[in-house]
Amino acid sequence: MSPELSPTEWVRKQTEQILADGTTDGVGINGMKVVLFTTLGAKSGKERYVPLMRVEEDGKYAMVASKGGAPENPSWYHNVKANPQVTVQDGDVVSVKTAREISGDERAHWWELAVAAYPPYADYQKNTDRQIPVFILE
Ligand SMILES: C[C@H](OP(=O)(O)OC[C@@H](O)[C@@H](O)[C@@H](O)Cn1c2nc(=O)[nH]c(=O)c-2cc2ccc(O)cc21)C(=O)N[C@@H](CCC(=O)N[C@@H](CCC(=O)O)C(=O)O)C(=O)O
């Protein structure tokens, strides 16, 4: 059973391209890199593809639950909380990592990395009083 694609058209298309190419290298947003995560549904138990911006340091990755600055967290946030084992595809390299939500100074460091990788994150945070959750995968 292969993981579910997003019901969101543009996201599904990017995921399909990654799967067809066998690498994330051909997909991006305004030239900024994307990584393909696979999460396990908290309720459905289904595997789900979740492409996110690439935020990486020393082999560790962040998952930034921005959802464009929406008032609510993305559904995948609940999936990762419930099932912290997440598959990561960066380029053509696939690994399985464990996610944990971060806060305080650790989050501040990774937020800086995230905004450097994808500046719109700063605008998304301005647009909502929800503190955008950040996971680290290692
Ligand atoms: C649309 C919805 O997606 P979502 O999980 O809310 O996530 C919304 C977006 O964050 C997600 O589409 C991201 O991939 C969008 N996205 C980014 N989203 C971000 O939040 N941050 C990013 O940096 C980001 C970058 C990005 C780059 C490329 C790209 O193509 C997409 C990108 C969705 O997939 N819903 C499904 C599944 C819902 C689900 O996961 N249900 C869980 C239960 C969840 C629960 O317990 O509430 C289950 O199956 O058990 C559905 O409604 O059927």
Side-chain angles (χ1 to χ4, degrees), residues 3-121:
E4 295 256 316
L5 293 161
S6 173
T8 306
E9 172 85 18
W10 70 276
V11 175
R12 189 169 58 252
K13 288 236 174 302
Q14 288 213 323
T15 307
E16 285 168 342
Q17 186 180 342
I18 293 169
L19 297 173
D21 296 350
T23 174
T24 56
D25 290 348
V27 162
I29 296 186
N30 299 332
M32 290 168 276
K33 284 182 168 291
V34 165
V35 163
L36 183 62
F37 297 95
T38 307
T39 71
L40 190 63
K43 293 180 184 132
S44 69
K46 288 181 186 170
E47 282 191 306
R48 295 185 183 283
Y49 284 123
V50 181
L52 300 174
M53 298 319 291
R54 183 181 187 278
V55 181
E56 181 271 346
E57 185 182 61
D58 301 336
K60 294 180 193 170
Y61 291 84
M63 293 178 84
V64 178
S66 50
K67 198 179 175 181
E72 74 288 341
N73 287 329
S75 299
W76 63 259
Y77 170 82
H78 305 288
N79 299 346
V80 178
K81 289 299 276 186
N83 303 301
Q85 190 158 308
V86 175
T87 302
V88 187
Q89 176 170 357
D90 183 7
D92 61 1
V93 178
V94 179
S95 56
V96 178
K97 296 187 181 296
T98 303
R100 60 185 171 84
E101 191 171 355
I102 56 174
S103 59
D105 292 348
E106 189 178 25
R107 183 186 180 285
H109 171 69
W110 279 92
W111 184 255
E112 216 177 297
L113 292 175
V115 172
Y118 188 64
Y121 279 140

